[in-house]
Amino acid sequence: MIVDIVQTKTNFNMEWKANIKGKEIAVGVAPFIKGKFQVQIDYEKGRKIDLYYNPLDTTWGTKMTDRLSFKIFEDNELIGKIVGATKKTGFLKAYAYYDVTFEGKQYYAYEVGFGSKGLYLCIYRDEQLIAIIDKALKVVNFKDTYKAFIKNDSDFDIVILFTIYYDATSYGDVMEIAVLSVKEKRVNTIQKELISKFDQSFIDTIKAEEMISE
């Protein structure tokens, strides 16, 4: 499955849309709320998920990781969370990643950049690669675009949700609006262990499967 995810609105009220071959299958909306952040995602199949962040809310724990995590809700029930983490690889060496729980399953997401050749998010369920998200380096009017290569339909919801989370926290451009603004950000990953999380053959296989199904 190949899904295109585009930020369609910026400034105070942000919006993202996901589509497959031009058919809209999910919409995420983040109205401006002072002191907290919330994204409401409506999926075509009727599911509604909220991504919520408020560091002053200690309802789910007082530890720093609890306060800084983004909570995932469905029908007001906590079904997961996303939090940034760091893995040490040696003396004064480490790399950042994302620790994600969703519906009782454990996911890990890694940002891998190859300069002008591409920027990717590699998502694993436990030790299995389930999706790679290709972020377009060129951004026009603060509206970022992504192409998600997803192995199984069952992982569609979490991949869409994580992509919106990543864009909102890394490239959300809150209160930014521009006409004919163009920018490009390149990331160069140097940690070998982190680079190994990316697998080009994963993308090639899904592209081939899409061509066969057409």
Side-chain angles (χ1 to χ4, degrees):
M1 175 190 296
I2 300 177
V3 181
D4 292 300
I5 305 160
V6 181
Q7 183 178 7
T8 51
K9 292 182 181 179
T10 61
N11 205 4
F12 286 99
N13 297 292
M14 295 188 290
E15 179 186 78
W16 298 263
K17 291 186 177 181
N19 66 81
I20 298 176
K21 297 178 180 178
K23 180 183 179 182
E24 187 175 294
I25 40 78
V27 177
V29 178
F32 180 78
I33 306 173
K34 187 176 181 179
K36 63 181 181 179
F37 182 80
Q38 185 169 351
V39 181
Q40 302 164 325
I41 305 174
D42 291 341
Y43 294 89
E44 178 198 28
K45 56 189 176 182
R47 189 174 198 187
K48 298 179 184 295
I49 293 179
D50 289 334
L51 184 62
Y52 168 80
Y53 173 76
N54 184 351
L56 300 181
D57 189 343
T58 58
T59 304
W60 297 275
T62 57
K63 294 181 179 178
M64 189 60 68
T65 53
D66 295 321
R67 294 174 58 190
L68 296 182
S69 66
F70 279 66
K71 313 299 188 302
I72 304 170
F73 293 92
E74 183 173 21
D75 297 327
N76 295 317
E77 179 183 352
L78 183 66
I79 62 169
K81 65 180 181 179
I82 305 175
V83 65
T86 303
K87 181 176 181 179
K88 293 182 179 180
T89 57
F91 181 67
L92 298 179
K93 293 182 179 180
Y95 64 77
Y97 68 98
Y98 300 92
D99 189 322
V100 184
T101 55
F102 184 71
E103 298 185 310
K105 298 178 182 178
Q106 183 67 53
Y107 298 84
Y108 303 98
Y110 307 90
E111 181 188 66
V112 183
F114 298 99
S116 62
K117 295 182 179 180
L119 176 59
Y120 304 91
L121 299 172
C122 305
I123 302 181
Y124 284 74
R125 188 194 317 111
D126 295 323
E127 300 299 321
Q128 180 183 8
L129 181 61
I130 63 160
I132 293 180
I133 303 161
D134 182 357
K135 183 189 185 303
L137 298 180
K138 184 178 179 180
V139 180
V140 178
N141 295 339
F142 300 111
K143 296 176 181 178
D144 300 88
T145 60
Y146 302 80
K147 190 175 291 292
F149 299 88
I150 308 172
K151 186 175 183 179
N152 299 309
D153 293 355
S154 59
D155 294 312
F156 167 82
D157 291 350
I158 184 58
V159 173
I160 299 300
L161 185 151
F162 181 80
T163 305
I164 292 175
Y165 157 84
Y166 173 81
D167 187 62
T169 56
S170 299
Y171 300 95
D173 300 308
V174 178
M175 298 175 63
E176 294 283 4
I177 188 169
V179 177
L180 300 180
S181 167
V182 179
K183 65 178 182 178
E184 183 172 326
K185 181 178 180 180
R186 300 179 183 181
V187 175
N188 286 285
T189 300
I190 60 174
Q191 298 93 338
K192 292 182 179 179
E193 183 177 346
L194 191 53
I195 291 174
S196 70
K197 302 297 183 183
F198 175 75
D199 182 0
Q200 179 62 48
S201 66
F202 181 92
I203 294 176
D204 296 338
T205 297
I206 292 179
K207 284 183 176 179
E209 291 173 348
E210 288 289 309
M211 292 180 64
I212 292 173
S213 65
E214 292 179 350

